[in-house]
Amino acid sequence: MDLWIRSQDRQDLIKVDGRFHVQETSVNPHSHKWGILIDGRCYYAEYSTEERALEVLDDIQKKINDIYKDYLLCCMREKGSYEVIAFEDFTYEMPKE
């Protein structure tokens, strides 16, 4: 159940162990950039708006959910379990308020 991510410049491939973080990367007040940190390391992508960076984070969350669903289905097949189950997302999103 590994998640690997390729950097935006396509020059790095990293196995992700845990944390993603959206943070402003630019110190220039006229040119704001938003990056995604992975496991507290350097930025693997930069975007012109925070909204776009959050969209990419949403995509990563969806991919994680898909990986876990595929893993669970594989385990069920190996055990010969064919019962119908309802899949929930495997990540929890904190409420805004």
Side-chain angles (χ1 to χ4, degrees):
M1 291 190 310
D2 295 335
L3 177 64
W4 289 80
I5 294 187
R6 191 165 189 171
S7 62
Q8 193 174 39
D9 66 5
R10 317 222 13 101
Q11 294 182 5
D12 289 308
L13 191 62
I14 182 174
K15 180 179 174 185
V16 180
D17 295 322
R19 185 171 185 231
F20 294 88
H21 183 74
V22 171
Q23 181 173 318
E24 191 168 14
T25 63
S26 171
V27 293
N28 181 347
H30 303 292
S31 173
H32 294 279
K33 294 279 187 181
W34 293 86
I36 297 178
L37 277 84
I38 299 175
D39 292 333
R41 299 180 190 143
C42 61
Y43 298 103
Y44 281 82
E46 272 194 326
Y47 301 96
S48 59
T49 66
E50 181 181 21
E51 291 77 21
R52 178 61 184 140
L54 291 171
E55 285 174 3
V56 173
L57 197 61
D58 289 343
D59 290 342
I60 294 169
Q61 179 178 345
K62 182 181 179 320
K63 184 65 175 177
I64 291 168
N65 288 332
D66 290 345
I67 289 170
Y68 277 98
K69 287 175 188 175
D70 288 346
Y71 176 76
L72 184 57
L73 285 171
C74 181
C75 289
M76 289 173 61
R77 278 193 292 270
E78 286 177 4
K79 294 179 181 180
S81 174
Y82 297 100
E83 65 187 73
V84 177
I85 61 172
F87 288 106
E88 299 294 329
D89 287 342
F90 291 86
T91 54
Y92 179 76
E93 195 166 319
M94 297 298 290
K96 292 182 181 179
E97 293 183 30

